[in-house]
Structure formats: structure tokens, C-alpha cells
Amino acid sequence: MGKISLHGLDASPPTRACLLTLKALDLPFEYMFVNLFEKENYGEDYSKKNPQHTVPLLEDDDACIWDSHAIMAYLVEKYASNDDLYPKDLLQRAKVDQLMHFESGVVFEAALRRLTRPVLFNGESTLPRDQVNHINQIYDFVESFLEHDYLAGDHLTIADFSIVSTITSIGVFLELDSAKYPKIAAWLERLKELPYYEEANGSGASQYVELMRSKNFTIVP
Amino acid sequence: MSGIVLYGLDVSAPVRSCQLTLRALELDYEFQEVDLLAGDHRKEEFLQKNPQHTIPLLDDNGTLIWDSHAIVCYLVDKYANSDELYPKDLVRRAQVNQRLYFDASALFMALRDICAPYFDNDVTEISQEKADNVRDGYGHLETFLGDNPYLNGDAPTVGDFCCAATASSLPAFIELDAEKYPKVNAWLERLQELPYYEEANGVGARKYVDMLKDKLTLL
């Protein structure tokens, strides 16, 4: 087995999705902290490996792979002893892919990143209400996707890892109403039972929430 | 007959990325128009098939799949004679996947951030931030191309199909400046040489750009 390094930070949801996957696969890896506030992701070394300057980044021997969803799929296909986490069956796989692209665009880019960047990196103190309200649509969709115990069906897949990382972070802008979204609430409880959940996602999600709260942003109409 | 039905509109970039893939695979298919302005995608019949109420939606002999990226990967894995469009080698596949997730997030969301408020609420102004998101998208594509003719090397992949469908639509809002983005321009011209490109993407992209380009203003 080659040497695996994951570059990122606990506060970052997509880093956490990859941590969940690495832990689920019981893979040894080196965890390299990337200081986004010092713009380490724009340094020469990092940029050579990931010209998009995002976290996380995976190194597996000589291979440099980025985008959390691409990383997760790669890790399961390469190292897992079965295909549960990322099914080989084409329809089941397409289901997981659809959920991950949903997470990538609708959840991460359109909600989390659009709300995080101004406050955390651009020093803004207010966020527009209509952008925050977009989160309601996300909760509505995820509730409707949960027809079974997990997002893609009866068992855990990397789609669950991807979406739980952001769902547990966007609550800092618009809290999840458990009464209105019972399926999401039950699914979260189910995931928290994973022995590695707290280390891989729970504590990082709290860190992200605390970091955002410390900026004292307000939501304005 | 393949028994494949593609639901969508030819002006929609993600629909066109599916058309490019279907044509590249030489698969015949039925096209079912979904009139978004008439709210077809929110009607019960469509919602039953796709609760996310987006286009494109694929019906492959009863198997329903949505999200253009999931669709194109499924089609290649299922029907292609070789893995050129979506390599089976894990590292190369991960690199194509990164381009697909880049399209789903950075490129397409930049487009949607501008066109959705226009269609839903007649917002005709493009904020500095939204314009910059488009330019960032173009910039990343320029970087990704490097010294290669296509996004993942010497031959087109589904990564090219998805990113090109969106990149050829974004000029409706922000010019794809040939001086700032020479590689992206050359790459789109190269893709235009594919015999099916005009019908699968060219026509629809032009229709989209013509429909919108004089309707919105930069702030």
C-alpha cells in the first residue's frame, strides 16, 4: 500500500467527508493541516499539486487528487474490501453520484461557500436573508431524498458522508428544525452512532460553527 | 431502438452535456421536452420521477437517473466500447471526476446564480461577485487545460462535455475573452470539430446566449 496524505482542516466540511471515508476504510494516513487564513493553499508547493487551491487534497504516492467527492470515490474503489460505500451496480452508483453532485453544487457551493466566504475571508459582517433562506430548500430536498435509512438506500455510502459534512455545518446560518425534518434528524442520529463519527465529523463541525459564530455576523433582509 | 428517453430543453447546458455523450456513444434516444417556464418540472408526474425537479432526467428502459454528471458517467460505463470517455484507471477517473464536480459547483452554480433570479424574479443586474464567479470559472478552466488539448489530456472525456456545455453558455452573461482565456477558446473550437457537436451543443448554446445576452447588465 502506498503512502496516503490528506491535506485539509477539520473545520472544512469536504475535508471531514474524506476523514469519514478514510476512517470507515480503516486506512492509515498522514493528516496535513492547511492554514487557509495564511493562504497556504495559494503557496507554490500546494498550487503545483492542486491548481484550484481548494481543500481537501489527497496524495497517494505520486497521485494528487482533489475534490472531496473524487477523493472519496477513488479511496473506496482502490482500498475497500467490498463496494458497499460506493456500489459497482450502475444504477446504485448513479444514485450516489447524483447525491454527491447535489452536495457539490446546491449545498456546498450555492449555500455553504457563498455564505462562508464573505464572513470568514472577506470581513463582511452581514449576510443577505434570501441567500440564507436557500438553506430551507436544501433541508426540503434532503428530507425528500431520505426514503430509506440512508440517502442512497438501505446502507451507508459516501453520499451520506458528503452530505452530513455540510448539513452539520450550515445549521450555523439556519438551524435544522427537527420537528419539520424528522427523517434528517433520525438519519443524523444514525450516523452519530458510527464509532469514528465524532472524530471525523462531529468535532470539526462544532469547530466550524464556533468559528462562524465568533464573527458575529447578522442576517439582513 | 435503445429505449432511452432524455427529458429536458435544448437551451439547458446540463441537458446538452448528456446529448453530447449520447451522440458520442452513438445511442439513439427519444427527447421529451420539459417546459420549465410552464412549470412542467413541478408537476406531479415529473416529481414522481425526479423529486429534485431538475433537468436533465434520463429514463433508460425504466431506470431513472438525474443530474447530468451522474447520467453521463452511467451511460459511458454501461454502453461504451472503450473507457476513453470515462477512464477505468482509478487515478485518471478521479481526475475526470474532479472536472465533473468542478462543473457541478463552480461553473454551473455561477450560471444558475445569474439566470435563476432573472427567470424567477426578473432580476436583470449581475453583481460584481456573480460576475467574478464566472470569471473565476473561466480562469480555472484555463489553468486546467495546461498544455493539453482537452481537460484531462489528449482525448475528450465526459469532463469536457459537461464543462464545455456550461462554458459555451456563460457568454450569455460574461464574455469569454479570447485574450484572457486563449486556451479555453481554443478548446471550445476544438470540440466544435466533433461531428455531432453542433447538433448536440452548438445550436442549444447559441439559442441560450441569444435569448439572454442583451437582457442583463453588469453592475
Side-chain angles (χ1 to χ4, degrees):
Chain A
M1 210 198 84
K3 185 181 171 209
I4 297 175
S5 306
L6 184 76
H7 301 254
L9 66 170
D10 281 359
S12 143
T15 302
R16 288 186 257 122
C18 294
L19 288 170
L20 284 163
T21 307
L22 285 160
K23 291 290 183 190
L25 295 172
D26 214 6
L27 284 170
F29 64 99
E30 198 182 345
Y31 189 23
M32 318 271 288
F33 173 67
V34 180
N35 194 330
L36 300 180
F37 304 104
E38 305 271 304
K39 294 208 179 296
E40 214 180 299
N41 49 324
Y42 286 92
E44 201 182 319
D45 268 349
Y46 197 86
S47 302
K48 269 199 200 114
K49 293 172 181 171
N50 176 359
Q52 199 181 337
H53 315 290
T54 52
V55 288
L57 166 71
L58 184 91
E59 283 188 277
D60 185 0
D61 275 343
D62 292 333
C64 290
I65 295 163
W66 77 92
D67 187 278
S68 59
H69 316 86
I71 292 171
M72 290 188 280
Y74 168 85
L75 287 171
V76 177
E77 291 204 277
K78 187 162 182 188
Y79 294 110
S81 53
N82 62 53
D83 70 338
D84 280 357
L85 284 172
Y86 191 45
K88 290 195 197 298
D89 171 84
L90 293 182
L91 173 55
Q92 287 177 49
R93 172 162 291 202
K95 187 80 217 142
V96 176
D97 285 346
Q98 173 268 310
L99 289 160
M100 292 210 289
H101 283 285
F102 164 80
E103 195 281 334
S104 179
V106 178
V107 191
F108 183 77
E109 184 71 31
L112 189 128
R113 191 169 177 269
R114 296 273 195 264
L115 296 169
T116 304
R117 196 170 56 163
V119 170
L120 215 51
F121 297 104
N122 298 341
E124 307 253 352
S125 57
T126 62
L127 287 170
R129 162 99 22 227
D130 61 357
Q131 256 201 328
V132 174
N133 285 347
H134 172 69
I135 294 174
N136 285 312
Q137 282 187 342
I138 292 171
Y139 291 150
D140 287 345
F141 279 136
V142 177
E143 184 78 5
S144 78
F145 293 157
L146 279 164
E147 291 180 327
H148 305 277
D149 278 358
Y150 298 93
L151 284 163
D154 291 324
H155 63 263
L156 187 67
T157 66
I158 50 180
D160 296 286
F161 290 163
S162 183
I163 291 180
V164 78
S165 71
T166 21
I167 284 278
T168 51
S169 308
I170 53 177
V172 73
F173 305 109
L174 187 66
E175 211 178 315
L176 178 83
D177 180 348
S178 296
K180 196 173 167 200
Y181 301 106
K183 291 180 183 172
I184 300 180
W187 167 75
L188 285 170
E189 288 308 304
R190 208 166 283 130
L191 291 173
K192 283 176 187 164
E193 287 169 21
L194 292 165
Y196 48 83
Y197 176 87
E198 179 56 24
E199 191 191 337
N201 188 62
S203 101
S206 302
Q207 254 186 60
Y208 170 83
V209 167
E210 283 318 304
L211 184 57
M212 291 307 296
R213 284 210 181 116
S214 75
K215 300 296 171 186
N216 293 313
F217 64 88
T218 48
I219 298 168
V220 297
Chain B
M1 292 299 289
S2 69
I4 294 174
V5 182
L6 182 70
Y7 291 86
L9 281 177
D10 66 348
V11 285
S12 152
V15 170
R16 289 186 260 113
S17 61
C18 295
Q19 289 180 165
L20 283 164
T21 307
L22 285 159
R23 294 299 302 272
L25 295 170
E26 293 180 354
L27 287 167
D28 63 87
Y29 63 97
E30 191 193 324
F31 190 80
Q32 276 284 331
E33 203 173 89
V34 177
D35 188 346
L36 298 181
L37 292 176
D40 281 358
H41 59 310
R42 298 231 182 215
K43 293 182 182 153
E44 194 52 40
E45 198 188 329
F46 193 81
L47 285 173
Q48 291 270 352
K49 297 183 164 123
N50 175 2
Q52 201 182 328
H53 49 81
T54 50
I55 53 171
L57 170 71
L58 187 87
D59 183 343
D60 179 3
N61 293 284
T63 292
L64 294 168
I65 296 166
W66 74 89
D67 186 278
S68 58
H69 314 89
I71 291 170
V72 301
C73 292
Y74 166 88
L75 286 171
V76 177
D77 275 347
K78 185 165 180 185
Y79 291 107
N81 295 321
S82 79
D83 70 340
E84 205 173 74
L85 282 172
Y86 191 41
K88 290 199 194 298
D89 170 82
L90 294 183
V91 174
R92 291 179 58 219
R93 178 162 281 214
Q95 290 165 342
V96 175
N97 281 337
Q98 178 273 317
R99 306 300 196 231
L100 293 171
Y101 285 103
F102 170 78
D103 179 57
S105 55
L107 279 187
F108 185 71
M109 286 298 146
L111 181 138
R112 197 167 183 282
D113 266 359
I114 298 171
C115 76
Y118 170 74
F119 286 121
D120 295 344
N121 293 312
D122 297 315
V123 175
T124 56
E125 287 150 1
I126 301 172
S127 69
Q128 177 75 47
E129 190 192 344
K130 290 184 181 184
D132 285 344
N133 285 333
V134 176
R135 293 187 192 108
D136 285 350
Y138 288 158
H140 284 307
L141 285 172
E142 188 76 11
T143 305
F144 294 158
L145 282 162
D147 294 324
N148 294 318
Y150 299 98
L151 284 173
N152 289 104
D154 291 327
T157 65
V158 288
D160 295 278
F161 290 167
C162 290
C163 291
T166 321
S168 59
S169 310
L170 286 168
F173 314 117
I174 306 289
E175 192 197 339
L176 182 57
D177 190 323
E179 273 182 40
K180 282 197 193 129
Y181 314 107
K183 293 177 184 180
V184 181
N185 275 279
W187 163 72
L188 285 176
E189 273 171 39
R190 196 170 291 128
L191 287 168
Q192 280 165 33
E193 291 167 21
L194 292 165
Y196 47 82
Y197 181 92
E198 174 63 9
E199 205 186 315
N201 188 62
V203 171
R206 249 190 331 273
K207 213 165 134 183
Y208 183 84
V209 171
D210 287 346
M211 184 171 74
L212 291 165
K213 75 171 184 298
D214 297 317
K215 303 283 196 301
L216 296 105
T217 46
L218 288 171
L219 278 182

